[in-house]
Amino acid sequence: MKFTTPATTNPIDQLKVVGKPTDRIDGPYKTSGTAPYAYEQHAAAPNAAYGHVIGSAVAKGRIASIDTAAARRAPGVLAVVTYENAGKLDKGKYNTARLLAGPEVQHYHQAVAVVVAETFEQARAAAGLVKVEYVKTQGEYDLKRAKNNARLPKKEEKPETKTGDFAAGFANAPVKLDATYTTPDQSHAMMEPHASLAVWEGDKLTLWTSNQMINWGRQDMAKTLGIPKENVRLISPYIGGGFGGKLFLRAEALMAALGARAAGRPVKVALQRALMMNNTTHRPATIQRIRIGATREGRITAISHESVSGDLPDGQPETAVQQTRLLYAGANRFTQLKLATLDLPEANAMRAPGEAPGMMALEIAIDEMAEKLKMDPVTFRIVNDTTVDPEERSRKFSQRRFVECMRQGAERFGWKNRNATPGKVREGRWLIGMGVASAFRNNMNMKSAARARLEKNGTVTIETDMTDIGTGSYTIIAQTAAEMMGLPIERVSVRLGDSSFPVSSGSGGQWGGNSSTAGVYAACMKLREMVAAKAGLDPATAEFADGAVRLGTRSIPLAQVARDAEISAEDIMEYGDLEKKTQQSTFGAHFVEVAVDSATGEIRVRRMLAVCAAGRILNPKSARSQVIGAMTMGVGAALMEHLVVDKRIGFFVNHDLAGYEVPVHGDIPHQEVVFLDETDPMTSPMKAKGVGELGICGVAAAVANAIYNATGVRVRDYPITLDKLLSKLPAYA
């Protein structure tokens, strides 16, 4: 099925199942411990051996020698694999660095070997016996120092945009802002580590793995090993968090495959927590300069956003300026992305790449500009709303309810009670402040396929390689099929995360929910036609309800139609050029109240509100969970998350969950989420858009703006820690 014209009325619009707050299908399995994750596939491989990955002890250089003799003699050891005996290995399309180092080392904790043994303890002990000698070479680990050598990235489609004459517009603006903001390196810090179980049967590999994008992983595993794609099967039914860190094939999957091939038996590898921060991917640090010029009435006339980030050679930039290209009006515009070469671990996508760190800077700048203009920050944002793409004014937004989000949020949060003068509201020793920020994230559609099968008993089974990373994919897919086939959700079975199923959109980029359900819609439309035809009814006019297909006075139970043989249909949802004709984006507004201890600088977030406009909300219950989880990550980004770089040696020092701080329950207050009632017929037959990443965009800035309102201290260098506040706080009262 090809989606080339705006959606009209279709079976989803019945909203008997879709759009209802529905408990997660996978919830009971996960909370009872009966959902088997990649490392726990005991039935599939009861005789699995254990692999332990050894990471490089240097950030850049070459391996001079590897002595594995003692490790091979150790009790229980079955195999030791290094680049010397791994065979010829390629690099995956989506990998910046090779997953197995040798002889070149590209970053700290890059895998240099895997030791396979009968038990985990034996593998770990033997790994300590492997002796690796390195020849170190000088690397670059300091983004601030490397900034001057940054270049426009070759892989980025639009590294620079120009509209009008920014230089002249900014020079002539009566009110100006020119400020620089920094965001740090951040870790995904998901609870489930990267884990894989590899089983070889002849020349065919089956890999149970924790991976968000099954087809990407399958392709890259085949490419890396130099075997046909058809010889690789990836299975990932349950994933304990991803946030972008499991989008691509990672080292533990390759190490499991290599170890299993060398040992001649199944091998499972869970990347030890201490390696996760340096061995896998992370959100890169940025240095962002923002300049805004406006009239005294508050109209933006010139806006510029420049960002520099770093990555390994052949890497990609953090696209931190993309929201600035679309969010606010202004005739004269300039945006630029630059990429510096750093020898740190691979930088790549983390929840809401681009907009999340970009809005950490932009939305503070917008508040600073509002203060210069002596305007209310909500009003300033509304005044500079636009109904068209500011860089391509002939292109309108498919839906844009940004102003409504702002106004409804201000009303619900009690924004009118905010004291605009910083540091004036106290409760005892606590300074109280309110902050606001816009939320913005582009909507992306990905082609997605599914198989829908009507079983002999009248139930429907959906199969697609879509994944569920804790986002509720199982449930919204079941809701979609139930709506399409006229069944209660209990009569739908959903099977996910297997490369033997039709290729889906996968989970990432906020595209998974809308895209994967659109693929299920396409498969169910084909199944409806087949079922109606077999029942002797006109497929174009037949209706599906109450477990039957009917037309006029005729009603035939689905079980009766399929009693002789199951009926199976497969289809793919593909897209035309609607994304080019209209700009598809999601919008929101974040409001935050904080209290800051005037003596110690301790920050407490007291209230949070998000108002979101993101198309049809397929399951309000799980969508709310997605947004409050994103809001929590936003608080972490504002106040604590920071991968600290040792700029002498070239690694992240705090590479575990003890040193890398994330919010816990005590840090997060009640969070209110409001979804505007919206459908967007330009996106898909589901009329939905993504929402899971919108919830993080702008949160950190709203916290920062609230801290400024409370204290009068403006911090432009994230995270906002006590040392950046203490010396500047108002006198203790």
Side-chain angles (χ1 to χ4, degrees):
M1 177 181 288
K2 195 148 190 179
F3 185 69
T4 57
T5 58
T8 55
T9 302
N10 63 53
I12 296 297
D13 294 323
Q14 300 172 101
L15 298 181
K16 294 178 181 178
V17 187
V18 169
K20 305 299 183 188
T22 306
D23 290 345
R24 294 225 333 234
I25 289 173
D26 53 318
Y29 306 114
K30 290 180 175 177
T31 54
S32 64
T34 55
Y37 291 82
Y39 202 71
E40 303 166 332
Q41 297 290 338
H42 308 305
N47 65 329
Y50 294 79
H52 189 88
V53 176
I54 301 172
S56 170
V58 302
K60 189 176 184 182
R62 293 176 65 83
I63 297 172
S65 65
I66 302 181
D67 184 353
T68 62
R72 292 180 188 278
R73 293 193 300 268
V77 170
L78 302 171
V80 180
V81 180
T82 72
Y83 81 96
E84 294 177 330
N85 64 345
K88 185 179 179 181
L89 297 177
D90 200 351
K91 182 165 74 74
K93 174 183 176 183
Y94 295 101
N95 295 136
T96 303
R98 290 182 176 272
L99 298 181
L100 177 60
E104 180 188 10
V105 173
Q106 295 168 278
H107 63 84
Y108 186 80
H109 272 175
Q110 186 177 15
V112 298
V114 62
V115 178
V116 178
E118 294 284 358
T119 69
F120 169 77
E121 291 79 9
Q122 289 172 332
R124 181 177 59 184
L129 301 176
V130 175
K131 297 179 181 178
V132 187
E133 298 293 333
Y134 302 93
V135 176
K136 296 181 185 179
T137 55
Q138 185 64 41
E140 180 58 78
Y141 314 117
D142 187 339
L143 178 62
K144 187 175 181 181
R145 188 170 61 193
K147 174 175 175 282
N148 294 332
N149 298 320
R151 298 288 182 266
L152 295 178
K154 295 178 181 178
K155 285 188 174 181
E156 185 63 26
E157 184 180 348
K158 287 172 45 175
E160 189 174 272
T161 63
K162 298 177 182 179
T163 306
D165 187 341
F166 169 75
F170 185 70
N172 295 329
V175 184
K176 301 183 183 70
L177 171 77
D178 186 344
T180 298
Y181 307 83
T182 64
T183 65
D185 297 288
Q186 296 174 350
S187 172
H188 307 91
M190 72 290 289
M191 289 184 68
E192 182 202 20
H194 294 74
S196 295
L197 165 65
V199 178
W200 287 90
E201 293 179 316
D203 60 355
K204 296 189 184 325
L205 170 66
T206 300
L207 192 73
W208 285 266
T209 187
S210 190
N211 189 285
Q212 297 173 228
M213 303 288 292
I214 297 297
N215 193 51
W216 289 4
R218 183 190 190 198
Q219 288 177 335
D220 270 7
M221 179 60 83
K223 185 175 187 292
T224 302
L225 293 174
I227 63 177
K229 178 182 173 182
E230 294 71 29
N231 287 8
V232 178
R233 182 183 180 191
L234 257 63
I235 306 174
S236 191
Y238 298 105
I239 301 170
F243 310 121
K246 297 174 181 175
L247 283 171
F248 318 114
L249 185 72
R250 301 311 315 163
E252 102 293 337
L254 178 61
M255 296 299 100
L258 294 174
R261 189 165 65 181
R265 62 187 275 191
V267 169
K268 59 182 181 180
V269 176
L271 199 63
Q272 52 268 44
R273 183 68 64 177
L275 259 68
M276 285 182 61
M277 274 66 168
N278 285 287
N279 177 272
T280 67
T281 64
H282 69 284
R283 192 196 300 281
T286 68
I287 300 171
Q288 303 178 49
R289 181 189 184 191
I290 297 176
R291 289 173 287 172
I292 304 173
T295 66
R296 298 195 185 280
E297 294 72 35
R299 298 279 181 183
I300 293 174
T301 55
I303 185 166
S304 167
H305 192 164
E306 300 164 77
S307 176
V308 179
S309 59
D311 200 0
L312 292 165
D314 202 37
Q316 294 178 300
E318 178 68 64
T319 53
V321 306
Q322 55 194 23
Q323 74 288 322
T324 309
R325 296 170 176 174
L326 292 161
L327 187 50
Y328 298 114
N332 303 294
R333 316 175 68 84
F334 175 69
T335 69
Q336 185 185 76
L337 293 168
K338 282 191 172 181
L339 181 64
T341 297
L342 294 179
D343 298 300
L344 293 172
E346 179 180 340
N348 217 309
M350 179 174 162
R351 194 175 199 169
E355 287 101 335
M359 296 193 76
M360 289 171 73
L362 176 66
E363 288 301 296
I364 292 181
I366 290 293
D367 254 47
E368 292 199 59
M369 194 66 185
E371 185 177 43
K372 283 177 173 285
L373 291 160
K374 296 182 172 54
M375 285 183 72
D376 175 79
V378 170
T379 302
F380 181 53
R381 288 171 170 86
I382 290 173
V383 163
N384 288 286
D385 184 39
T386 175
T387 59
V388 298
D389 177 346
E391 293 187 353
E392 192 177 331
R393 295 188 58 80
S394 62
R395 194 166 68 124
K396 295 184 177 181
F397 286 87
S398 60
Q399 294 280 349
R400 184 179 170 111
R401 299 176 69 188
F402 167 64
V403 170
E404 191 175 343
C405 290
M406 274 286 157
R407 286 179 172 154
Q408 188 172 140
E411 177 66 26
R412 294 180 74 103
F413 201 70
W415 185 256
K416 64 183 179 183
N417 300 320
R418 170 182 175 269
N419 190 320
T421 304
K424 293 299 184 183
V425 180
R426 289 179 179 260
E427 291 181 6
R429 62 192 285 171
W430 294 94
L431 298 161
I432 312 300
M434 292 187 190
V436 65
S438 304
F440 176 94
R441 173 76 171 156
N442 271 330
N443 180 67
M444 292 169 275
N445 299 321
M446 299 281 281
K447 66 180 181 180
S448 193
R451 183 182 301 122
R453 185 169 60 250
L454 177 61
E455 310 286 359
K456 292 181 180 181
N457 62 0
T459 63
V460 168
T461 299
I462 301 296
E463 295 175 333
T464 170
D465 81 354
M466 179 61 183
T467 51
D468 192 323
I469 59 174
T471 47
S473 301
Y474 278 102
T475 310
I476 59 172
I477 285 173
Q479 289 176 273
T480 302
E483 194 78 73
M484 294 295 293
M485 301 308 298
L487 291 168
I489 194 170
E490 297 78 16
R491 301 282 288 170
V492 176
S493 175
V494 178
R495 302 177 65 195
L496 299 181
D498 190 327
S499 63
S500 67
F501 298 156
V503 176
S504 74
S505 63
S507 298
Q510 195 175 265
W511 62 60
N514 180 45
S515 298
S516 66
T517 54
V520 173
Y521 174 98
C524 286
M525 284 296 289
K526 184 172 282 189
L527 181 60
R528 284 164 60 105
E529 294 173 4
M530 295 171 68
V531 170
K534 188 169 182 180
L537 303 177
D538 179 9
T541 54
E543 297 179 347
F544 288 74
D546 304 320
V549 56
R550 65 193 184 198
L551 184 61
T553 58
R554 290 190 64 196
S555 181
I556 306 171
L558 296 182
Q560 183 177 328
V561 180
R563 64 186 175 187
D564 297 327
E566 63 183 33
I567 305 170
S568 183
E570 184 176 325
D571 204 355
I572 183 169
M573 181 63 71
E574 299 181 277
Y575 296 89
D577 61 353
L578 290 180
E579 285 183 296
K580 295 179 181 178
K581 291 180 179 178
T582 58
Q583 174 59 43
Q584 298 178 16
S585 303
T586 59
F587 298 90
H590 288 293
F591 291 83
V592 172
E593 180 181 279
V594 302
V596 181
D597 190 305
S598 57
T600 68
E602 176 189 354
I603 301 164
R604 283 289 172 193
V605 179
R606 305 209 314 182
R607 286 193 297 141
M608 301 183 77
L609 166 67
V611 182
C612 304
R616 172 174 282 153
I617 303 301
L618 303 177
N619 182 353
K621 195 171 211 176
S622 58
R624 177 184 179 273
S625 292
Q626 279 290 284
V627 173
I628 65 173
M631 292 162 72
T632 301
M633 291 184 77
V635 172
L639 302 180
M640 56 193 75
E641 294 194 42
H642 182 188
L643 279 173
V644 179
V645 180
D646 186 320
K647 296 173 184 176
R648 305 161 304 157
I649 302 172
F651 75 106
F652 300 126
V653 179
N654 52 336
H655 47 256
D656 55 38
L657 291 182
Y660 183 82
E661 296 184 9
V662 297
V664 296
H665 283 84
D667 297 313
I668 303 300
H670 174 72
Q671 298 162 306
E672 185 180 2
V673 180
V674 176
F675 296 114
L676 299 189
D677 186 9
E678 175 181 284
T679 58
D680 193 334
M682 303 297 285
T683 63
S684 81
M686 304 302 295
K687 303 174 185 174
K689 290 188 279 199
V691 72
E693 297 182 343
L694 177 68
I696 195 175
C697 298
V699 174
V703 174
N705 292 335
I707 291 170
Y708 175 74
N709 181 241
T711 66
V713 181
R714 177 65 74 187
V715 180
R716 295 170 175 156
D717 178 25
Y718 288 102
I720 304 172
T721 47
L722 304 186
D723 55 303
K724 297 168 186 174
L725 291 176
L726 273 173
S727 64
K728 303 172 185 175
L729 287 174
Y732 175 68

